[in-house]
Amino acid sequence: IVLFLSSGIQMLSVHPDTKPKGCAGCSRKIKDRFLLKALDKYWHEDCLKCACCDCRLGEVGSTLYTKANLILCRRDYLRLFGVTGNCAACSKLIPAFEMVMRAKDNVYHLDCFACQLCSQRFCVGDKFFLKNNMILCQTDYEEGLLKDGYAPQVR
């Protein structure tokens, strides 16, 4: 059973010599220079909007979501129907629409994704290690390996 549909949005040029297409949103003919194609229908740029926040979906990305007869932007779809969870570092709630970092089964706020011993934040491309369900930077991981009986304590 499909509970939602993620669909692509295409912006197309309207050729002056083609017959105008009808807009799925307002039912009027599309006489603009550009039109949007989504859900196998044609739309004025102003008519393809999120049912919650009214943002123009052609401007916020190339994907829209539909569920329960609603057309939604990604943020509102996740806010309404997404799964929330708790951060593995701070245990606070992570809203479904928020960007996260993942390490195996653990999910983290972006700000919480840091070495749990020295609090060094990771940048794109940095190595990190998951040891005893803790995120560690390379230095702390290697120091722990050198110690006999590695059992780091969370600060």
Side-chain angles (χ1 to χ4, degrees):
I1 297 173
V2 176
L3 296 177
F4 77 96
L5 173 66
S6 170
S7 178
I9 302 171
Q10 296 176 296
M11 180 173 276
L12 305 172
S13 295
V14 177
H15 298 293
D17 55 344
T18 60
K19 181 181 173 189
K21 300 188 180 330
C23 175
C26 68
S27 300
R28 293 191 316 253
K29 297 289 182 194
I30 302 172
K31 297 178 182 176
D32 302 342
R33 186 172 172 207
F34 296 99
L35 59 81
L36 298 176
K37 183 177 182 186
L39 304 171
D40 292 325
K41 298 176 183 173
Y42 297 97
W43 308 77
H44 289 104
E45 291 179 81
D46 288 337
C47 292
L48 187 59
K49 293 192 254 184
C50 174
C52 286
C53 69
D54 253 0
C55 70
R56 291 171 44 162
L57 293 172
E59 291 178 358
V60 297
S62 60
T63 304
L64 62 83
Y65 297 81
T66 60
K67 183 171 179 175
N69 293 323
L70 296 172
I71 297 175
L72 302 164
C73 65
R74 180 182 188 276
R75 181 178 174 92
D76 283 325
Y77 171 78
L78 291 173
R79 184 176 57 79
L80 293 170
F81 303 110
V83 177
T84 60
N86 292 332
C87 176
C90 72
S91 300
K92 292 182 182 171
L93 186 70
I94 302 175
F97 59 83
E98 191 171 300
M99 296 292 286
V100 297
M101 295 298 291
R102 294 181 185 275
K104 291 201 175 188
D105 294 333
N106 296 337
V107 182
Y108 302 86
H109 292 105
L110 293 181
D111 290 339
C112 293
F113 194 69
C115 177
Q116 290 179 288
L117 290 180
C118 70
S119 300
Q120 173 189 331
R121 298 237 1 239
F122 297 109
C123 297
V124 173
D126 286 350
K127 282 187 179 180
F128 70 90
F129 299 84
L130 196 59
K131 180 76 174 176
N132 298 333
N133 215 29
M134 290 176 52
I135 303 172
L136 301 173
C137 66
Q138 188 166 359
T139 303
D140 286 332
Y141 177 76
E142 289 172 354
E143 285 178 11
L145 288 179
L146 294 175
K147 294 177 184 175
D148 191 31
Y150 187 75
Q153 300 296 313
V154 178
R155 290 184 191 169

